[in-house]
Amino acid sequence: MVGSMLKEMVATTVSHPAAAAANLLQQRKDSAKRTEILKCLRCSSTVSLWRLRELALTSGGLLDDNLRMLAWPKLLGVRRLDCNDSDYFNLYSAYNAALNESGDVGVLKFYSRTKCNVDRKMIEQVKRDVSRSLWHLKPSESKRSAAKTKKKQSAVGGCILKVLDEEPDLNYYQGFHDVVSIFLITLQSPHLTTSCLLRTTTHHFGPSMSPSFAPLTTSINLALFPLLSLLSPPLLSHLLLSTVEPYFLISWLITWFSHDLKNLPTIQRLYDAFLSSHQTLPIYLSLTIILSHTDFLLKTPPDFSSIHSALCSLPSKINPPEWDGLLLRSIQIMKKHPPLTLPNLASTYCKRYEPHGGKVTSSLTSSSVGLITSPPSWLINDSVPSDWVLIKRRKGRSKGSRKRRKEIVEFEEEEGWIIARTASGREVKRGGWRIGRVGAVGVGVAAGLCVMFWGWEWEYFNLEYGFFF
């Protein structure tokens, strides 16, 4: 079997030398970038957020889930080590029980087991949406047992309800479950997912979670057609002739394209960029997608149904490698026409295209500007403490041997664990679970004997779920 694989690799290299060379070059670039990301996250007492944002916006984004698990919380100002999933088990188990019941029975049981204050209609809508979330992105999940599928769904639903319970002013919308699914797949921790969502829902997705989509449609009206009037007047005239409204963007914006795309790495790469930039970047990317298909749209008959159908199908026509170029062009347009200049641009647009009033004119007089606002402080912070600094701070506050704390001089991550190494350089790789008192005594005695026999001192931290052992 190994021999056949080697023959296939050699044959591919011989028959497509240019492709093989390009793949090798890309692998080297990714390896160098991965080193840069790890250096940014680990090799200093503080993480330079501007450098991390730059790496997230450039080609390939943050590359893989292991790096995103470390980087996304930093970008959002969330302390990953403070997130403990054990605090959420009651909520998720109660929601899982509600999924197994039909009608009001499951909802009433959910209310009786938790102190959640989310409206019943929202819970019922969440139940319906969660049952069809996540699985179109990871086909292998459909092969799992029904019990594991329910567990995944309960985690998604629990995250949604926790966000709605923490922020009562937010309103759930269909499509938010797709966003939660992407965060949960990437971060792999319900508590960490919820903490990150609480940041994005009050800012990035805030206009979408208002009582209506009015703040979001205001942002669309002030941005899309006014920018098209500068960048492609013929295309704008063609769209106006069809009487199509720019609201086909709503599906793209409220899910960050996770509903319209089926390629998980591509979606995660887009999330890297959106979490690292101004909240209007998804609108600029939507504009770039339309501009990149100008010829296709101009050849489409200028009637409403044809144009609307063509516009809605654009994301699915884009190949995964093309998204990096689209993001780069979107950022260039944003630099040339910053978000805070869009109201002035819309005013100029109205004088030419809407002399008697219209959607853009009414948006200019609206009291809500949606996404077109200054970013919050945590989105433009220069730096945050690195994880190993937070670990040392927590270690200093924890109970234990003062001498042992002084001897720990270095932290290192390996396969999701942080290993504390003493000055002698000795270490051990072990792990365990929280168990009962009797079992804990037995494990403690055994661990003490091992320490006495080998002369090692150790401490472990599970980064993936924030548990301390």
Side-chain angles (χ1 to χ4, degrees):
M1 181 178 178
V2 176
S4 62
M5 292 176 62
L6 288 174
K7 289 180 180 178
E8 184 178 352
M9 291 174 61
V10 171
T12 303
T13 304
V14 172
S15 59
H16 303 285
N23 290 335
L24 181 60
L25 179 61
Q26 186 61 44
Q27 290 176 6
R28 290 178 177 176
K29 288 182 178 179
D30 290 346
S31 178
K33 186 173 186 179
R34 183 174 286 103
T35 302
E36 283 293 315
I37 296 173
L38 290 173
K39 181 180 178 181
C40 179
L41 290 168
R42 295 180 180 172
C43 294
S44 177
S45 58
T46 59
V47 176
S48 174
L49 291 179
W50 289 113
R51 177 56 178 161
L52 187 60
R53 294 180 187 116
E54 180 184 356
L55 292 167
L57 288 169
T58 52
S59 178
L62 295 172
L63 299 178
D64 60 50
D65 287 0
N66 292 328
L67 296 177
R68 291 184 177 103
M69 195 185 303
L70 299 171
W72 282 11
K74 296 296 183 186
L75 293 171
L76 293 171
V78 173
R79 292 195 174 186
R80 186 165 52 92
L81 298 176
D82 293 339
C83 298
N84 189 333
D85 285 341
S86 62
D87 300 336
Y88 284 62
F89 286 159
N90 182 48
L91 177 66
Y92 299 147
S93 61
Y95 182 80
N96 194 36
L99 284 177
N100 296 323
E101 300 285 352
S102 59
D104 293 339
V105 177
V107 176
L108 292 174
K109 286 185 177 180
F110 176 80
Y111 277 124
S112 65
R113 293 185 57 182
T114 67
K115 297 180 180 180
C116 186
N117 295 316
V118 181
D119 183 73
R120 178 181 297 185
K121 292 183 178 179
M122 285 192 186
I123 295 179
E124 293 173 350
Q125 185 62 53
V126 169
K127 282 180 60 177
R128 289 191 292 268
D129 290 345
V130 164
S131 63
R132 55 178 179 267
S133 68
L134 186 70
W135 318 119
H136 68 286
L137 298 172
K138 300 186 77 175
S140 59
E141 298 288 347
S142 60
K143 300 177 182 179
R144 291 175 176 265
S145 64
K148 290 183 177 180
T149 299
K150 287 288 186 182
K151 186 176 180 180
K152 288 281 188 178
Q153 290 175 335
S154 68
V156 174
C159 289
I160 296 173
L161 295 179
K162 187 65 177 179
V163 169
L164 297 176
D165 190 41
E166 292 283 337
E167 296 289 342
D169 294 334
L170 297 178
N171 292 267
Y172 175 78
Y173 62 86
Q174 286 184 285
F176 184 60
H177 64 286
D178 290 317
V179 176
V180 177
S181 298
I182 299 301
F183 272 92
L184 188 61
I185 290 174
T186 304
L187 300 177
Q188 301 180 19
S189 163
H191 192 167
L192 183 56
T193 296
T194 304
S195 299
C196 291
L197 287 170
L198 285 171
R199 286 289 201 185
T200 58
T201 50
T202 54
H203 185 65
H204 295 82
F205 296 104
S208 306
M209 304 193 77
S210 60
S212 69
F213 280 162
L216 181 63
T217 56
T218 298
S219 302
I220 295 173
N221 288 328
L222 294 178
L224 186 63
F225 282 0
L227 284 170
L228 274 177
S229 68
L230 288 180
L231 301 174
S232 182
L235 179 57
L236 175 63
S237 300
H238 192 70
L239 296 181
L240 292 176
L241 187 62
S242 68
T243 67
V244 70
E245 299 288 349
Y247 303 143
F248 58 88
L249 263 65
I250 290 179
S251 173
W252 303 354
L253 300 181
I254 65 176
T255 65
W256 279 0
F257 295 90
S258 58
H259 182 74
D260 299 88
L261 298 178
K262 307 303 179 186
N263 185 278
L264 180 59
T266 298
I267 298 172
Q268 291 173 318
R269 194 270 169 275
L270 295 180
Y271 276 49
D272 292 340
F274 297 154
L275 293 174
S276 307
S277 183
H278 193 273
Q279 60 270 17
T280 54
L281 181 59
I283 296 181
Y284 284 89
L285 179 60
S286 302
L287 170 70
T288 307
I289 291 172
I290 296 171
L291 291 173
S292 66
H293 293 83
T294 298
D295 293 339
F296 168 71
L297 292 172
L298 289 176
K299 293 178 181 177
T300 304
D303 60 87
F304 179 87
S305 60
S306 300
I307 291 293
H308 187 270
S309 178
L311 288 168
C312 292
S313 67
L314 293 184
S316 60
K317 295 179 179 295
I318 302 172
N319 295 322
E322 298 175 0
W323 284 98
D324 279 329
L326 293 173
L327 280 170
L328 178 60
R329 189 180 178 190
S330 302
I331 295 170
Q332 292 172 347
I333 296 174
M334 180 186 286
K335 288 181 178 179
K336 189 174 181 180
H337 306 285
L340 295 181
T341 66
L342 293 178
N344 292 333
L345 179 61
S347 178
T348 304
Y349 169 88
C350 291
K351 293 177 183 179
R352 180 175 179 181
Y353 292 94
E354 294 184 358
H356 304 293
K359 296 290 186 180
V360 179
T361 304
S362 60
S363 296
L364 280 172
T365 59
S366 173
S367 59
S368 174
V369 292
L371 296 172
I372 306 176
T373 57
S374 299
S377 59
W378 54 264
L379 193 58
I380 55 176
N381 281 342
D382 294 330
S383 61
V384 291
S386 60
D387 281 346
W388 67 268
V389 169
L390 297 175
I391 290 172
K392 292 182 75 172
R393 289 178 184 174
R394 176 168 291 192
K395 183 61 183 177
R397 293 194 300 267
S398 64
K399 297 180 181 179
S401 170
R402 184 176 181 182
K403 178 181 177 182
R404 184 179 64 186
R405 291 201 298 269
K406 289 183 176 180
E407 290 181 351
I408 296 177
V409 297
E410 184 180 0
F411 292 90
E412 180 181 350
E413 183 184 355
E414 181 177 337
E415 297 180 355
W417 297 84
I418 283 290
I419 301 175
R421 184 180 288 111
T422 61
S424 61
R426 291 175 296 185
E427 62 185 41
V428 65
K429 185 177 181 181
R430 294 182 58 180
W433 296 92
R434 295 185 184 273
I435 53 180
R437 293 183 180 180
V438 177
V441 172
V443 172
V445 172
L449 293 175
C450 291
V451 171
M452 293 175 59
F453 183 78
W454 281 298
W456 291 342
E457 297 186 12
W458 52 274
E459 187 77 25
Y460 305 94
F461 306 89
N462 186 323
L463 287 183
E464 183 174 352
Y465 293 101
F467 285 129
F468 287 75
F469 294 101

